[in-house]
Amino acid sequence: MALRNVSKGFRSSTGQDVNPDLGIERKTASFSVERLTNILDGGAENTQIRRKVDAVLQSDPEFSRENKYFLSQNERYEGAVRRSLYLSKKTEEMGWAADGPELKYCYRALGDDLAFSVHNVFMKSILGLGTDEQIAKWIPLAEKHYIAGTYAQTELGHGTYLRGLETMATFDVTTQEFILNTPKISAMKWWPGDLGRTATHAVVFAQLYLKGKCYGIHPFIVQIRSLQDHSPAPGVTVGDIGPKMDFAQSDNGYLMLKNVRVPKENMLARFSQVLSEGQYVKRGTDKINYLTMIVVRVAIIRTEVLNTLMKACTIAIRYSVVRRQSELKPGDPEPKILDYQTQQQKLLPQLATAYAFHFGCDYLQEIFDQGYAETKQGKFDLLPELHALASGIKVFTTEYSSAGAEICRRACGGHGYSLLSGLPSLYTKLVASCTYEGENTVLLLQTARFLIKCFGTAKARQPLPSSVAYLSSTSPGKCRAQEKRDFLNPDVYTEAYKQRAFRMVENAAIKLQTLIQSGTAQHEAWNLCSVQLARAAAAHSHYIIVQNFVKALEKFEKEFHIQRILKHLCDLFALHGIFSNMGDFLQASHLSGKQSDMVTESYLDLLAVIRQDAVPLVDAFDFSDADLNSAIGCYDGHAYERLFEWAKKSPTNNQDNQTFEKYLKPLFQNALSKL
């Protein structure tokens, strides 16, 4: 059988000959794939705009990522810089607004292969923390890439714990300058992206000292390289931290400062400032330093985490209907591996999770928009809840998505281990998200601190923020399910999640209080309860996601087929969570042993239901072949042909074999007279 020509597999293959095993899956969709795509995009108009942007990018060879998996680290970095600057020119050429939807879709398509990702955080920090005058000075320069910025917060010895940062900024009243120093090696800035080889400026977070007194962490704009020859500025030591697990295109760096002076107006001063005589003026709350991190966390959950999980599901599910293996019934043809319940149990919960996270992101974005607007007006009441929500949901989505991508990779067998599948890169990208913008365990404990405080507020019968209102309204109760189909009632499983979250928060709070009352120091008591506190925060975040997936279903009451498939996904997500954490639900005494068996039966029944729509459900994500960059996940389903075509492009297949000449030839020639 002749191999198909799939050399143009980086373009959308919608119009090409489709593998029959994949094509038949699309003919039996129980809902409108196009309508579901529109919902995920936030409307048909957005879908149209996104597809137009994709068409522009895919028709321009400058944006091609062909042969990406064969490039060196330096080639990846150089290509990312070139592509990013070309995108800026393309944006002007197309008339796309800086705050318009088109750029968002460009980043959706090209994000892994662009530079300046932290340059954007640099700008967001100025927009969020700077005065109007500072914004007017720095943002136009940054937007045009006349300067390149980075966000220098993390240090070699400190990350998420901002109060522990050691970089110092001392105000010199005589010269009206701040003097920045790295007092010891652990204070060296370490990890900021765009710092290693690119940035000319940095927003540096440092402890502010005025007349010998420390006023805590504050942000300063510091020039770190010359705009003429890119050499380090006086007193600056800067470089690249070396190879990483992934993100070869990103130049993560280190930064040391020795008596580096910046003018007084370089301290970002929307919420605090230093007067010329050295007096400190504060507006707002100390928690404002978390604002930029909240902004970034909310953004990465959708753009980096959710989209990556969706891609992994798309690749693995498409491959699982073109891959045939073994026998289900003796004598029959080999079945599609997605017909095995074990394969369904691996992949379909990940698919349901992706949809759950989509609606969870919508909820978080709504709360964030409200909180951010209030903060810009000098109102900070919503900030603690927003920080707790963003932290908890960041942890929950990154943990589940990274685990999900690895499940997808392993579900594709040996081919999932090949970089050409696209899956290893998705996994290593997601694993990084468990650490950057807040290490997950630390974030869970920050969310837990908010929950414990709110639990005390509830006991005092004081009003609570909306996301934790259940802490004052929940009373112990038994699950009312009588048979397995009762667990397909959202009220039943939402109540189970609420009871679980409440009990875990309550138990952690009681243990914490008991230890303190017995004479244990508060910090020690907190440490002794930290495992339970972290698990309580995770249970709370899980409840928030389930609750908001259920609420989202109400929007589609007039669209029977759409609501039905989303309801199936919601049911599967919720029941998979109970199935996987059954001990929590039994320990809370909400479920009985018999009811746990009902959950298992309903959960497994749902796998077969969603199996029938698995391919249409990933098609609704609407990733082009160029977006996926996967030999085994393309729309046409010709996985084997594409794997072979791409493998032939490996540079090792077109290079002289010096290893043979140097080492192997003498050995092999010994066999000539013996064979």
Side-chain angles (χ1 to χ4, degrees):
M1 178 180 175
L3 291 174
R4 300 175 188 272
N5 181 6
V6 292
S7 60
K8 294 184 179 180
F10 284 84
R11 299 293 173 85
S12 175
S13 48
T14 305
Q16 296 180 7
D17 179 28
V18 175
N19 185 320
D21 281 342
L22 192 53
I24 197 170
E25 300 280 339
R26 296 183 170 120
K27 293 178 181 178
T28 58
S30 70
F31 61 94
S32 167
V33 174
E34 181 69 10
R35 172 58 185 144
L36 188 51
T37 298
N38 296 160
I39 290 168
L40 295 173
D41 282 332
E45 182 179 356
N46 289 338
T47 300
Q48 186 178 20
I49 294 171
R50 178 178 54 75
R51 286 175 177 165
K52 286 181 178 179
V53 170
D54 281 348
V56 169
L57 299 179
Q58 292 174 39
S59 65
D60 193 324
E62 282 293 328
F63 296 119
S64 172
R65 284 149 288 165
E66 194 164 352
N67 302 326
K68 163 184 170 179
Y69 300 119
F70 303 121
L71 299 179
S72 68
Q73 188 274 334
N74 196 59
E75 289 170 327
R76 288 280 308 278
Y77 167 74
E78 184 178 336
V81 172
R82 183 188 68 248
R83 202 174 289 115
S84 296
L85 296 178
Y86 182 79
L87 177 60
S88 295
K89 294 179 181 178
K90 193 75 173 182
T91 297
E92 291 185 17
E93 175 188 318
M94 297 299 298
W96 293 338
D99 57 351
E102 292 86 358
L103 268 184
K104 177 181 73 174
Y105 295 132
C106 286
Y107 290 122
R108 179 185 190 263
L110 302 171
D112 294 351
D113 298 288
L114 294 174
F116 305 112
S117 59
V118 182
H119 174 77
N120 294 326
V121 180
F122 169 80
M123 289 195 290
K124 287 178 180 178
S125 65
I126 295 173
L127 289 167
L129 303 176
T131 63
D132 292 343
E133 293 78 13
Q134 290 170 325
I135 291 170
K137 176 179 179 179
W138 295 103
I139 293 300
L141 295 172
E143 286 179 337
K144 295 177 181 178
H145 291 102
Y146 291 171
I147 62 173
T150 186
Y151 182 81
Q153 177 175 289
T154 300
E155 296 176 353
L156 193 55
H158 289 89
T160 307
Y161 182 57
L162 294 188
R163 285 180 291 170
L165 297 181
E166 298 174 294
T167 302
M168 300 172 64
T170 305
F171 185 58
D172 185 339
V173 175
T174 305
T175 62
Q176 295 292 291
E177 294 173 316
F178 292 103
I179 308 170
L180 282 91
N181 276 285
T182 303
K184 52 185 177 180
I185 191 169
S186 59
M188 185 192 315
K189 298 299 181 184
W190 192 273
W191 277 113
D194 298 330
L195 173 61
R197 301 170 63 179
T198 309
T200 61
H201 290 72
V203 169
V204 175
F205 280 78
Q207 300 283 0
L208 171 64
Y209 283 85
L210 302 174
K211 301 176 181 178
K213 180 181 178 181
C214 181
Y215 285 81
I217 294 296
H218 288 73
F220 303 84
I221 297 178
V222 181
Q223 183 168 346
I224 59 174
R225 287 188 175 97
S226 166
L227 293 171
Q228 291 183 319
D229 61 9
H230 210 54
S231 61
V236 171
T237 301
V238 62
D240 191 282
I241 64 171
K244 309 173 292 287
M245 195 169 173
D246 197 355
F247 291 90
Q249 80 284 358
S250 179
D251 56 321
N252 299 81
Y254 59 80
L255 174 68
M256 289 191 292
L257 305 170
K258 185 176 182 180
N259 295 326
V260 175
R261 290 177 173 266
V262 299
K264 183 168 76 73
E265 58 267 24
N266 278 29
M267 186 180 98
L268 295 179
R270 177 176 291 276
F271 300 105
S272 59
Q273 67 178 122
V274 175
L275 303 182
S276 58
E277 296 301 318
Q279 299 95 333
Y280 182 72
V281 179
K282 175 182 174 182
R283 294 187 292 272
T285 169
D286 291 338
K287 295 185 182 298
I288 201 63
N289 285 322
Y290 289 101
L291 182 61
T292 301
M293 296 187 74
I294 293 173
V295 171
V296 175
R297 282 172 195 152
V298 171
I300 66 169
I301 290 170
R302 187 184 296 277
T303 60
E304 301 293 330
V305 179
L306 174 57
N307 280 342
T308 306
L309 177 60
M310 287 177 167
K311 287 180 181 180
C313 290
T314 302
I315 294 167
I317 287 174
R318 285 179 178 171
Y319 176 73
S320 292
V321 299
V322 300
R323 175 76 170 184
R324 290 178 174 271
Q325 194 75 42
S326 302
E327 290 181 336
L328 270 176
K329 181 180 178 181
D332 277 5
E334 292 182 285
K336 299 175 179 181
I337 61 173
L338 195 58
D339 289 335
Y340 289 97
Q341 189 185 60
T342 50
Q343 188 78 348
Q344 295 167 18
Q345 202 268 338
K346 294 174 187 175
L347 297 180
L348 301 187
Q350 314 316 319
L351 177 61
T353 297
Y355 276 91
F357 287 174
H358 168 80
F359 293 109
C361 283
D362 285 349
Y363 164 72
L364 181 60
Q365 188 69 52
E366 182 180 323
I367 299 294
F368 170 77
D369 289 343
Q370 180 186 347
Y372 189 75
E374 290 183 5
T375 300
K376 297 287 279 187
Q377 297 169 8
K379 302 174 184 177
F380 306 99
D381 294 346
L382 201 56
L383 199 56
E385 181 186 22
L386 179 57
H387 173 61
L389 272 173
S391 297
I393 293 176
K394 185 266 185 185
V395 173
F396 193 76
T397 55
T398 56
E399 291 287 343
Y400 272 68
S401 295
S402 57
E406 171 64 357
I407 290 169
C408 289
R409 187 196 66 76
R410 293 171 64 179
C412 293
H415 297 323
Y417 194 70
S418 168
L419 278 181
L420 303 183
S421 73
L423 289 166
S425 299
L426 298 178
Y427 169 66
T428 51
K429 176 181 179 180
L430 282 167
V431 166
S433 70
C434 294
T435 304
Y436 68 67
E437 297 308 327
E439 194 279 328
N440 279 0
T441 302
V442 176
L443 292 188
L444 280 179
L445 291 173
Q446 290 179 1
T447 299
R449 196 171 294 278
F450 173 77
L451 292 174
I452 294 300
K453 182 179 179 180
C454 290
F455 186 80
T457 302
K459 289 297 182 183
R461 301 188 182 279
Q462 298 296 314
L464 290 173
S466 61
S467 63
V468 290
Y470 70 93
L471 293 177
S472 62
S473 62
T474 302
S475 57
K478 302 292 185 181
C479 177
R480 53 190 173 84
Q482 299 295 315
E483 51 189 350
K484 68 176 184 178
R485 67 179 182 181
D486 291 337
F487 281 101
L488 301 181
N489 181 344
D491 290 340
V492 170
Y493 55 69
T494 301
E495 180 65 22
Y497 275 93
K498 182 169 73 171
Q499 291 280 348
R500 173 201 184 207
F502 177 81
R503 286 298 168 218
M504 294 181 77
V505 172
E506 181 185 51
N507 289 343
I510 291 173
K511 180 180 178 182
L512 182 65
Q513 189 63 31
T514 301
L515 286 170
I516 293 171
Q517 289 176 347
S518 68
T520 306
Q522 187 165 349
H523 68 274
E524 186 178 349
W526 183 267
N527 185 46
L528 291 172
C529 296
S530 58
V531 170
Q532 288 162 280
L533 288 163
R535 294 185 72 244
H540 164 75
S541 302
H542 204 162
Y543 168 57
I544 293 293
I545 297 294
V546 171
Q547 180 189 44
N548 283 283
F549 199 171
V550 170
K551 286 182 178 178
L553 298 177
E554 298 171 5
K555 302 175 184 177
F556 310 107
E557 290 179 347
K558 297 181 180 179
E559 300 182 71
F560 173 77
H561 294 98
I562 289 293
Q563 189 185 55
R564 181 177 61 184
I565 192 62
L566 290 177
K567 166 70 164 49
H568 289 330
L569 290 165
C570 186
D571 293 344
L572 183 65
F573 174 73
L575 295 187
H576 176 257
I578 298 175
F579 175 78
S580 303
N581 301 278
M582 190 67 76
D584 289 349
F585 293 89
L586 291 171
Q587 190 175 21
S589 301
H590 182 67
L591 294 184
S592 67
K594 183 178 180 181
Q595 287 171 328
S596 72
D597 292 337
M598 296 177 193
V599 169
T600 300
E601 289 183 43
S602 289
Y603 163 61
L604 295 176
D605 289 347
L606 277 168
L607 295 176
V609 173
I610 294 175
R611 157 67 185 94
Q612 304 308 313
D613 280 310
V615 169
L617 282 167
V618 295
D619 283 352
F621 297 150
D622 207 29
F623 290 113
S624 68
D625 289 347
D627 289 340
L628 293 174
N629 205 358
S630 168
I632 67 173
C634 285
Y635 188 88
D636 64 14
H638 295 304
Y640 299 151
E641 295 89 343
R642 190 168 277 101
L643 268 173
F644 180 51
E645 289 295 327
W646 288 16
K648 288 191 295 184
K649 296 178 183 179
S650 172
T652 58
N653 290 322
N654 300 293
Q655 295 171 351
D656 293 336
N657 193 342
Q658 294 298 320
T659 302
F660 169 74
E661 293 292 337
K662 288 182 179 180
Y663 306 111
L664 301 178
K665 185 176 180 180
L667 295 172
F668 293 168
Q669 286 181 338
N670 290 330
L672 290 176
S673 61
K674 298 179 176 62
L675 295 176

